[in-house]
Amino acid sequence: MDLRQLRLFCRIVDRKSFSLAADEMHITQPAASQQVRSLERELKTVLLDRSRRTVVPTDAGQVLYRYGREILDLDERARTEILDLGELVAGRVVVGASTGPGDNVLPPMLTEFKRAFPGVSIALHVDDTHAVIERVLSREFEIGAVGAVTPRPELIAEPLARDEIVLVCSPTHPWASREMVTLDEVVAEPQLMQQRGAGVRIVVEDHLRRAGVRPERLNVVMEMGLMESAKQAAIAGGGVTFLSSWAIEPDVEHGTLSVVPIEGFRILRDFYTVRSKTRVLSRAAEALLAFFRERYAEADGGSPPGASAAGSAGR
Amino acid sequence: MDLRQLRLFCRIVDRKSFSLAADEMHITQPAASQQVRSLERELKTVLLDRSRRTVVPTDAGQVLYRYGREILDLDERARTEILDLGELVAGRVVVGASTGPGDNVLPPMLTEFKRAFPGVSIALHVDDTHAVIERVLSREFEIGAVGAVTPRPELIAEPLARDEIVLVCSPTHPWASREMVTLDEVVAEPQLMQQRGAGVRIVVEDHLRRAGVRPERLNVVMEMGLMESAKQAAIAGGGVTFLSSWAIEPDVEHGTLSVVPIEGFRILRDFYTVRSKTRVLSRAAEALLAFFRERYAEADGGSPPGASAAGSAGR
DNA sequence: GAGTGCGATAAGCTTTCCTTATGGATCTTC
DNA sequence: GAAGATCCATAAGGAAAGCTTATCGCACTC
């Protein structure tokens, strides 16, 4: 039995006529006759009494008519809901983010997206960059947002927002009143470093290498987990540390942290969205990616919120 | 979309695997792949994410899974109910009857049938013989029961029960003490006659013609509608009248009516069931007909309840 | 890296579904 | 009651869908 047979059968019962129903379904009368016969063979019972010009259902036919109406209604509702899912943005998006984008970049952006698409339910999970990428590939997160991304064939990365990683210290630190320090001074200075795998650490080490400095030469006095831990340690006077501008904007404004410009060395980076190359994305996830692209384009490269403040301090 | 596709899709979601589901449905994996692809083409969306070894539904797939489960459940229930209708005796039977069988023969029989088949709902409609036959042919009654039937090509008649039509009068009537009257006396006697079309009238007139008496010679002093009217008029001393033995049994026992035997003239008849030759009968109606046949055979010709009493009075 | 297993696709055969044509029965009109 | 119109069933033949076997690309395990 298929739904087309059921639809035809119910139409015949409604119209009390094979040929009227066949017309309405744009098939010929013999096709309609054959389909009902096929249905009767399958159910091993006569469904329609054709002994007179007006066709009426048998008892079995009445049972099938009743259930058939319900089934066809469910079918219609399923199609409508699936179509709505495709045309309207609804459903649930699970986003994973590392601390950089997860703590400071995504919350306001996701809040704005949710306002634009109230039908979307959003879940944000924060983890370190390496874990976020793995969980995207294992299909646990539909979209990831990270501060650093190593090219992998099964990953697609797109820029999300522009960030600057700056060297900071507490206001009581000798460098708080310096206008500039050299890179050699940075290498020697007691350093707070985030855990292995954190996006900031990856990017810093990468930029150091490009500047001819081996990261192993850094005077790392403490490994401090992720962004917030390193920040609080610096505020407490534990040393200098590299942090994302997005993460320190309020602290710089309150004077609890100072940005230390480095001569001839500046770390600008993008946060990236990452997704699995082979995964089919829901319409909601696609809408979120489109929203991110729009925001990135509007920010004209997506300057971080603290970029101008850091720039004026440097001039 | 057909229900087989839907069943396959739900099985794939349950098993998270095309090939496992295909096995269980006794088709090959490529057939399963093609069917799901066909469904996706029809609904214009991807339903299953196959990028990994475990197949999972997309958002649209989850919607279809939910509705699909409901639809398949309804399908199963429809089939079960239709099958039960065929195997168990259930449903509604509409029986039409003329006064003879309708007032006295069918009620106890239908009560007994109902006790044997509690799932059957029975509706009994009483009308005159002619109307009953017409309403059977127009498919309003599935089965009719009448006291007389004229052969018609579109009708099937079967014997239901044996009846005798006897001449009766009140106990105060001069004939109440007669052991026998002649047919000539009957012709001349003031007569109560049922309405044109009533089964008793048809049968009486038929037997009179066969005995060489034209029915128009009867001394009809009143036309009294149907059976009960004629009976009450006779009890009240309005004259003699022909009545069915089934109809007068209690009255004869109570002495409010007397049977008058007629020399050389006895009217024995069968009540008949009638049905349309071309109509498809429900299982319940067929069971009822089988029950009637059984009862008729058990009654060994189906003697009417008052037959022995009338016979002993005649001897 | 090699081997295994899964789903997609191609090619070809089988089954189902459609159409046109025709016949029998019901129904309406004269 | 006869003639004509209309309805549903059935037959025959072509088109479309569904099935199978074979093969390939990719994920996964050891």
Side-chain angles (χ1 to χ4, degrees):
Chain A
M1 167 157 79
D2 72 20
L3 294 176
R4 259 194 106 233
Q5 281 180 339
L6 206 47
R7 196 167 284 120
L8 172 65
F9 170 78
C10 290
R11 187 63 64 89
I12 290 168
V13 173
D14 289 337
R15 300 286 176 269
K16 302 188 196 315
S17 159
F18 276 71
S19 35
L20 281 187
D23 269 357
E24 292 177 3
M25 296 196 63
H26 307 299
I27 58 173
T28 60
Q29 171 268 315
S33 187
Q34 284 169 16
Q35 286 298 317
V36 171
R37 184 57 87 192
S38 171
L39 194 49
E40 285 175 330
R41 265 198 313 272
E42 182 180 337
L43 296 176
K44 297 182 168 67
T45 191
V46 177
L47 298 166
L48 293 170
D49 176 358
R50 299 102 142 151
S51 59
R52 292 301 174 100
R53 276 286 174 81
T54 54
V55 178
V56 294
T58 59
D59 279 358
Q62 282 167 24
V63 170
L64 186 62
Y65 180 73
R66 181 163 36 94
Y67 280 103
R69 293 276 299 269
E70 284 188 73
I71 288 174
L72 293 174
D73 181 59
L74 284 174
D75 174 58
E76 195 55 46
R77 285 160 55 194
R79 289 170 188 275
T80 298
E81 203 168 319
I82 288 171
L83 194 63
D84 286 351
L85 209 53
E87 299 193 339
L88 306 180
V89 181
R92 179 176 166 88
V93 185
V94 181
V95 180
S98 61
T99 325
D103 284 351
N104 307 99
V105 182
L106 285 185
M109 287 174 92
L110 293 179
T111 301
E112 190 177 341
F113 177 77
K114 172 76 178 178
R115 258 195 307 263
F117 300 100
V120 177
S121 159
I122 296 176
L124 176 64
H125 296 256
V126 177
D127 208 333
D128 72 60
T129 298
H130 177 74
V132 167
I133 289 172
E134 291 306 318
R135 290 168 84 172
V136 163
L137 290 177
S138 75
R139 286 187 292 183
E140 193 175 346
F141 301 152
E142 209 165 353
I143 296 176
V146 294
V149 60
T150 309
R152 293 177 65 164
E154 64 269 29
L155 261 192
I156 296 179
E158 294 186 46
L160 169 63
R162 180 61 53 86
D163 186 26
E164 183 175 5
I165 299 183
V166 293
L167 190 68
V168 296
C169 65
S170 85
T172 59
H173 193 277
W175 286 7
S177 50
R178 299 276 301 270
E179 294 214 339
M180 193 78 63
V181 297
T182 66
L183 195 52
D184 288 336
E185 289 180 293
V186 173
V187 169
E189 185 66 20
Q191 183 85 231
L192 307 172
M193 187 58 75
Q194 292 181 32
Q195 73 189 37
R196 207 169 288 277
V200 165
R201 178 163 181 166
I202 293 169
V203 173
V204 169
E205 292 177 343
D206 185 49
H207 275 78
L208 289 175
R209 285 196 197 95
R210 287 207 245 137
V213 177
R214 286 185 296 119
E216 296 79 34
R217 289 181 50 208
L218 289 179
N219 180 12
V220 179
V221 296
M222 274 196 283
E223 252 193 17
M224 286 304 294
L226 296 173
M227 189 83 78
E228 191 63 27
S229 315
K231 184 172 81 174
Q232 295 304 332
I235 287 170
V240 296
T241 192
F242 285 99
L243 292 174
S244 158
S245 299
W246 285 91
I248 62 171
E249 182 193 17
D251 307 284
V252 172
E253 284 186 8
H254 294 156
T256 50
L257 272 180
S258 301
V259 177
V260 186
I262 306 172
E263 185 180 355
F265 188 69
R266 199 171 179 198
I267 305 179
L268 291 170
R269 66 163 175 176
D270 280 341
F271 287 131
Y272 293 89
T273 56
V274 291
R275 58 187 163 102
S276 164
K277 178 171 278 183
T278 53
R279 181 169 192 185
V280 177
L281 292 188
S282 67
R283 172 128 182 78
E286 285 179 358
L288 183 57
L289 283 175
F291 174 81
F292 288 154
R293 290 184 200 115
E294 204 175 281
R295 272 287 163 284
Y296 187 75
E298 280 177 3
D300 193 38
S303 303
S308 49
S312 58
R315 292 182 192 127
Chain B
M1 168 157 80
D2 72 21
L3 293 176
R4 252 191 115 235
Q5 281 177 341
L6 206 48
R7 196 168 284 119
L8 173 65
F9 169 77
C10 290
R11 188 63 65 90
I12 290 168
V13 172
D14 288 337
R15 299 286 175 268
K16 303 187 195 316
S17 158
F18 276 71
S19 36
L20 282 187
D23 268 358
E24 291 177 7
M25 293 194 64
H26 307 298
I27 58 174
T28 58
Q29 171 268 315
S33 186
Q34 284 170 18
Q35 286 298 316
V36 171
R37 186 56 89 191
S38 170
L39 195 48
E40 286 175 329
R41 269 200 311 274
E42 182 180 335
L43 296 175
K44 298 181 168 68
T45 192
V46 178
L47 297 166
L48 294 170
D49 176 357
R50 296 104 142 153
S51 59
R52 293 302 173 101
R53 275 288 172 80
T54 54
V55 178
V56 294
T58 60
D59 280 358
Q62 281 167 27
V63 170
L64 185 63
Y65 180 71
R66 183 165 33 95
Y67 279 103
R69 293 278 298 268
E70 284 186 71
I71 287 173
L72 293 174
D73 182 58
L74 284 174
D75 174 58
E76 195 55 46
R77 285 161 57 195
R79 289 169 188 275
T80 299
E81 203 167 319
I82 288 170
L83 193 64
D84 284 352
L85 210 55
E87 298 194 339
L88 306 180
V89 180
R92 178 176 167 86
V93 185
V94 182
V95 181
S98 62
T99 325
D103 284 351
N104 308 98
V105 182
L106 284 186
M109 287 174 93
L110 292 180
T111 301
E112 191 178 341
F113 177 78
K114 172 75 177 179
R115 258 195 306 262
F117 300 100
V120 176
S121 159
I122 295 178
L124 176 63
H125 296 259
V126 177
D127 209 332
D128 71 61
T129 298
H130 176 74
V132 167
I133 289 171
E134 289 307 317
R135 290 169 83 173
V136 163
L137 289 178
S138 76
R139 287 185 294 181
E140 191 174 348
F141 300 153
E142 209 165 355
I143 297 177
V146 293
V149 59
T150 310
R152 293 178 64 165
E154 65 267 31
L155 260 193
I156 296 179
E158 293 185 47
L160 169 65
R162 179 63 49 87
D163 185 28
E164 183 173 5
I165 297 179
V166 293
L167 189 68
V168 297
C169 64
S170 86
T172 59
H173 193 276
W175 285 5
S177 51
R178 298 279 295 273
E179 292 214 339
M180 192 74 66
V181 296
T182 65
L183 197 52
D184 285 336
E185 289 179 295
V186 173
V187 169
E189 186 66 21
Q191 180 88 229
L192 308 170
M193 184 61 74
Q194 291 181 35
Q195 73 189 36
R196 209 169 287 278
V200 166
R201 179 165 182 164
I202 293 168
V203 174
V204 169
E205 291 177 346
D206 187 49
H207 276 79
L208 288 175
R209 285 195 197 97
R210 286 205 245 136
V213 177
R214 287 186 294 117
E216 298 80 33
R217 288 182 51 209
L218 288 180
N219 180 16
V220 178
V221 297
M222 275 197 283
E223 250 193 23
M224 286 304 299
L226 296 172
M227 188 85 75
E228 192 63 29
S229 314
K231 184 172 78 171
Q232 296 303 331
I235 287 170
V240 296
T241 193
F242 286 98
L243 291 175
S244 159
S245 298
W246 285 91
I248 61 169
E249 182 191 17
D251 307 283
V252 171
E253 283 185 9
H254 295 155
T256 50
L257 272 181
S258 301
V259 176
V260 186
I262 304 171
E263 186 180 354
F265 188 71
R266 200 171 178 196
I267 306 179
L268 289 169
R269 67 163 174 175
D270 280 340
F271 287 130
Y272 293 89
T273 56
V274 291
R275 59 186 161 101
S276 162
K277 178 171 277 180
T278 52
R279 179 165 194 187
V280 177
L281 291 188
S282 67
R283 174 132 182 73
E286 284 179 0
L288 183 57
L289 283 174
F291 175 81
F292 287 152
R293 289 183 199 115
E294 201 173 285
R295 272 287 163 288
Y296 187 76
E298 279 177 8
D300 193 36
S303 300
S308 52
S312 58
R315 291 179 195 125

